[in-house]
Amino acid sequence: MEIKWFGQSCFTIISDNGARIVIDPFDKKIGYPLPDLEADIVTTSHNHSDHNNVSIVRGDFKHLEKPGEYLESGIAISGISTFHDSKGGIFRGNNIVFKYTIDDINVCHCGDLGHKFSSEQLGQIGSVDILLLPVGGLATINALAAVEVMEQLKPVITIPMHYRTKALGLLGYLFSPVEKFLSLSTRTTMTIKNLSLTKEDLETYHGIVVLDYRA
């Protein structure tokens, strides 16, 4: 499996058999360069422009944008209903957490999660090996809540997303930098360009893995 981060909450995941998933593609207004994306599956966590720019993705893909259970290109996918804020969606609406089982590895993308998980939601998500977690605050959980969510799910690997970077320009000052999240966690941290691994490699990267959107 290969995982690449393009900034904000946008990732590509490529399975060992070549199936391509694009997650939360953004529009150019937020500042990151628009990536060249081709997919078999696209998932969008909610209908905001920095997460749902499906028009930039090439290919005859299946677009998943609702909660439910799916099987696409040999990949089992669960969409779990959550909220974009801590008040039941009153301020920012709904959010979908997607869990993907790829190459026998459970990957969970939290979208713009705005709260800690309930026991029911934890049961729906189940076991997580790799957690893609917003940490920047304002529109999502903040760094402290992100650490608490990480401890709720207990993944082997956590990849932070949706935080301040230089690409965001002045907009970035609305979010906390990733260092705040890292300082609140006791887990070991490594920074790499892209993540390429098998089930047997998980423990090699145990802890927090910070990816580089400029890779």
Side-chain angles (χ1 to χ4, degrees):
M1 176 194 301
E2 295 181 6
I3 301 177
K4 181 176 176 61
W5 181 53
F6 295 98
Q8 202 71 339
S9 300
C10 181
F11 292 83
T12 58
I13 303 176
I14 303 175
S15 71
D16 185 55
N17 69 7
R20 300 157 298 180
I21 302 174
V22 169
I23 306 172
D24 280 12
F26 50 74
D27 66 10
K28 63 182 180 181
K29 290 185 293 186
I30 63 170
Y32 289 107
L34 286 180
D36 180 20
L37 301 173
E38 188 170 3
D40 302 293
I41 305 164
V42 177
T43 65
T44 50
S45 60
H46 61 291
N47 197 30
H48 289 169
S49 62
D50 57 334
H51 295 262
N52 72 344
N53 190 16
V54 177
S55 65
I56 67 170
V57 184
R58 294 179 290 109
D60 183 20
F61 54 82
K62 181 73 172 181
H63 181 202
L64 306 180
E65 54 181 336
K66 295 180 180 179
E69 301 293 325
Y70 306 93
L71 181 61
E72 300 290 341
S73 301
I75 296 170
I77 302 172
S78 298
I80 297 96
S81 293
T82 60
F83 300 108
H84 199 323
D85 56 58
S86 61
K87 302 296 182 183
I90 292 174
F91 298 110
R92 295 191 178 93
N94 297 325
N95 177 70
I96 303 172
V97 169
F98 280 103
K99 177 183 171 181
Y100 319 81
T101 301
I102 311 167
D103 301 337
D104 201 31
I105 298 173
N106 295 315
V107 181
C108 180
H109 183 281
C110 290
D112 269 7
L113 182 68
H115 56 90
K116 292 187 289 183
F117 291 118
S118 67
S119 57
E120 180 181 1
Q121 289 164 338
L122 289 172
Q124 291 173 318
I125 295 169
S127 175
V128 174
D129 297 307
I130 301 176
L131 177 61
L132 311 179
L133 182 66
V135 303
L138 184 66
T140 71
I141 50 177
N142 61 22
L144 178 58
V147 170
E148 294 171 340
V149 167
M150 180 172 62
E151 295 309 317
Q152 282 186 300
L153 291 173
K154 297 179 172 56
V156 181
I157 297 168
T158 299
I159 300 175
M161 64 182 186
H162 210 287
Y163 55 82
R164 183 193 307 169
T165 69
K166 290 182 179 179
L168 293 173
L170 293 176
L171 177 64
Y173 287 95
L174 297 174
F175 308 115
S176 297
V178 69
E179 286 79 12
K180 185 170 183 180
F181 168 70
L182 301 179
S183 70
L184 293 171
S185 172
T186 58
R187 298 194 174 201
T188 57
T189 303
M190 69 173 68
T191 300
I192 58 178
K193 290 186 176 182
N194 302 310
L195 184 61
S196 180
L197 78 171
T198 65
K199 180 76 170 180
E200 291 71 31
D201 294 330
L202 280 171
E203 289 297 333
T204 302
Y205 298 95
H206 193 285
I208 298 171
V209 175
V210 179
L211 299 183
D212 188 348
Y213 67 92
R214 297 162 298 187

